[in-house]
Amino acid sequence: MIGKLNHVGVATPSIGASVAMYRDVLGATSFSDRFAMPEQGVWVCFVNLPNSQIELIEPYGDASPITAFLEKNPKGGQHHVCFEVPDIIEARDAMRAKGATVLGTGEPRIGAHGVPVIFLHPKDMGGVLVELMAEPKASH
Ligand code: CO
């Protein structure tokens, strides 16, 4: 059911510092602008790789959902993986039917790529927070 690995989410206390590391140490050359997603409580910046992206996320505001993660992992760390699915509602219902726990209300929200996303609780996913996103229209 899952398709392409769209991105790996990496929480960081500083997108600026992470961009510098990906650029200066790992040699990445393509980055999106940093932008805010206030409803999700995060700043986002994408590191563009030949086959995928790293989604750098930094807390935005006082009630950010990644604040607790950064308290446990002060330097940041791998936060979630995101797979593309052809139909987000079909995927959500199938995941529920198979016993996975959809976070929040289960109603897809618009993610950083402008398409609907849901998150699956790590307890049913081998310890990994899984994001499912509708395939972007101009999928590469
Ligand atoms: Co993500």
Side-chain angles (χ1 to χ4, degrees):
M1 142 142 351
I2 55 173
K4 287 181 187 166
L5 173 68
N6 183 276
H7 64 265
V8 175
V10 172
T12 172
S14 165
I15 281 177
S18 289
V19 165
M21 191 278 290
Y22 276 88
R23 185 188 58 223
D24 300 338
V25 182
L26 290 171
T29 55
S30 177
F31 300 85
S32 77
D33 287 332
R34 188 179 86 133
F35 58 98
M37 298 201 70
E39 306 84 44
Q40 268 81 325
V42 289
W43 290 97
V44 180
C45 173
F46 287 106
V47 185
N48 299 312
L49 305 173
N51 68 335
S52 195
Q53 291 177 310
I54 301 296
E55 180 186 53
L56 298 171
I57 47 177
E58 176 187 324
Y60 177 102
D62 295 330
S64 175
I66 63 171
T67 298
F69 180 92
L70 286 171
E71 278 165 8
K72 279 183 228 149
N73 307 275
K75 290 180 175 246
Q78 190 260 308
H79 182 263
H80 65 272
V81 297
C82 178
F83 302 109
E84 295 180 9
V85 295
D87 184 307
I88 195 75
I89 299 296
E90 217 170 85
R92 176 198 65 192
D93 294 347
M95 290 300 107
R96 279 183 171 156
K98 293 178 190 178
T101 306
V102 180
L103 294 182
T105 63
E107 283 313 303
R109 299 201 300 180
I110 300 301
H113 290 82
V115 297
V117 305
I118 59 169
F119 285 88
L120 304 174
H121 197 292
K123 70 186 166 90
D124 310 308
M125 294 287 132
V128 177
L129 177 60
V130 173
E131 178 180 10
L132 298 180
M133 70 179 266
E135 286 170 0
K137 293 280 182 286
S139 193
H140 49 82

